[in-house]
Amino acid sequence: MTEVVFYVFATIAVVSAALCILQRSAVSAALWLVTTMFSLAGIYVLLGAQFIAAVQVLVYAGAVMVLFLFVIMLLNIGHSTPDLRGSSMVGATVVVVGLLVVELATLWRYTPRRLAAEITGTPLANPAALFAAGQAAQQETAARGVVGGVAAPLFQQYLVPFEATSVLLLSAIVGAVVLAKRKV
Amino acid sequence: MLLGPSLALSAILFSLGVAGVLLRRNAIVLFMCIELMLNAVNLTFVALSRLYGAGGYVMVFFVMTVAAAEAAVGLAIILAIFRHEQSVDLENINLLRG
């Protein structure tokens, strides 16, 4: 059942991402990207990351995409224009995308057991013993809830990067205001 | 467990993002494709943190913060360029081309 729902969400994500890069109008590209982000949030729930799914909907599908749509409508570029680049770029795209899709066939068949076998070098490695951190994290999530399982490492192990993030956001706010001001 | 399909979906979405960055001329659509690539990377982090612990979730948190900051500053730059050039077409923005 979980797998069926996963593949439904995955199909929606891939189709709407393809439509996002192929639509001529910037507004429809933005709306297809919102669809991709919503289906990714559904996949996060299936993978057991409910808090990340909520943040995905709030921050990406909410704040960031509203910012994009706001700028599109402010600049009045919603109407479609001939928008694709020249043939040299199309060739480069085919090469890059072909190389990236080759790794897909490899990644498709990965399971925790195969990953464990490749890391240890023995074919019958036990994934539960190798990935003890993941087991501990899942037990912690079961004990303290989904938010607690993310908050504990965020405010203990990763406290200094978290504080550095606030400086990054402050400088981004100041930079955006200075750049968008009419008279510089 | 869905580890392999998640990684494969992430690869597809990242490839689509790269294709969009290479193909489109509209600067705002190019930014959206960058967001798509960041989302693909987030999916990898979430899928692997089932095995490697909650550090992956924290990384997703940081990636989202950086993406939000990047969108704010990047769109402000696009706004300034549009005010100067009356266009967001990347073919017209060639000031640094020798």
Side-chain angles (χ1 to χ4, degrees), chain A residues 14 74 94 99 146-147 168 170:
Chain A
V14 170
L74 188 71
V94 169
L99 283 176
V146 178
V147 180
L168 172 74
L170 179 67

Side-chain angles (χ1 to χ4, degrees), chain A residues 170-181, chain B residues 69 71-77 79:
Chain A
L170 179 67
S171 54
I173 293 169
V174 173
V177 168
V178 168
L179 281 169
K181 236 172 33 173
Chain B
V73 175
L75 288 172
I77 291 174
L79 216 64

Side-chain angles (χ1 to χ4, degrees), chain A residues 21 23 47 56 60 82-83, chain B residues 4 23-25 35 39 50:
Chain A
I21 68 169
Q23 287 285 326
L47 291 174
Q56 166 94 359
Y60 266 123
D83 199 25
Chain B
L23 279 178
R24 299 301 295 263
R25 289 201 318 208
E35 299 287 330
N39 265 290
R50 294 285 289 269

Side-chain angles (χ1 to χ4, degrees), chain A:
Chain A
M1 184 60 201
T2 311
E3 300 215 342
V4 175
V5 179
F6 176 88
Y7 285 116
V8 169
F9 275 127
T11 313
I12 296 172
V14 170
V15 169
S16 50
L19 282 168
C20 167
I21 68 169
L22 292 176
Q23 287 285 326
R24 287 186 153 191
S25 150
V27 176
S28 20
L31 292 177
W32 282 117
L33 188 58
V34 172
T35 315
T36 307
M37 285 168 178
F38 267 114
S39 40
L40 275 178
I43 287 171
Y44 292 160
V45 172
L46 292 179
L47 291 174
Q50 286 90 347
F51 176 68
I52 299 294
V55 173
Q56 166 94 359
V57 171
L58 286 176
V59 174
Y60 266 123
V64 173
M65 293 317 294
V66 165
L67 193 62
F68 273 101
L69 284 171
F70 178 76
V71 171
I72 290 169
M73 297 190 178
L74 188 71
L75 301 187
N76 194 19
I77 53 167
H79 51 80
S80 55
T81 47
D83 199 25
L84 295 181
R85 291 204 214 182
S87 53
S88 62
M89 275 300 184
V90 175
T93 309
V94 169
V95 170
V96 169
V97 171
L99 283 176
L100 283 168
V101 168
V102 166
E103 78 182 317
L104 197 155
T106 321
L107 288 173
W108 187 265
R109 271 171 270 150
Y110 260 93
T111 57
R113 183 171 293 280
R114 181 176 165 192
L115 193 60
E118 284 191 6
I119 289 171
T120 57
T122 53
L124 290 173
N126 183 15
L130 191 60
F131 302 118
Q135 300 281 332
Q138 283 182 29
Q139 283 164 10
E140 173 127 341
T141 304
R144 304 177 64 170
V146 178
V147 180
V150 180
L154 183 62
F155 291 112
Q156 288 164 3
Q157 198 179 348
Y158 296 92
L159 182 64
V160 175
F162 179 76
E163 296 293 339
T165 300
S166 65
V167 180
L168 172 74
L169 282 175
L170 179 67
S171 54
I173 293 169
V174 173
V177 168
V178 168
L179 281 169
K181 236 172 33 173
R182 194 160 285 278
K183 299 261 179 190
V184 181

Side-chain angles (χ1 to χ4, degrees), chain B residues 6-86:
Chain B
S6 299
L7 295 179
L9 173 65
S10 169
I12 297 174
L13 289 179
F14 195 91
S15 314
L16 284 170
V18 173
V21 167
L22 289 175
L23 279 178
R24 299 301 295 263
R25 289 201 318 208
N26 190 327
I28 293 181
V29 180
L30 195 138
F31 261 92
M32 285 193 246
C33 294
I34 293 173
E35 299 287 330
L36 188 62
M37 288 196 273
L38 289 170
N39 265 290
V41 173
N42 278 350
L43 180 59
T44 308
F45 274 126
V46 171
L48 283 175
S49 51
R50 294 285 289 269
L51 300 178
Y52 284 101
Y57 298 138
V58 179
M59 284 303 149
V60 172
F61 203 78
F62 290 144
V63 169
M64 281 182 180
T65 316
V66 171
E70 171 247 326
V73 175
L75 288 172
I77 291 174
I78 290 176
L79 216 64
I81 289 174
F82 183 81
R83 213 172 277 140
H84 194 250
E85 298 265 344
Q86 298 302 313

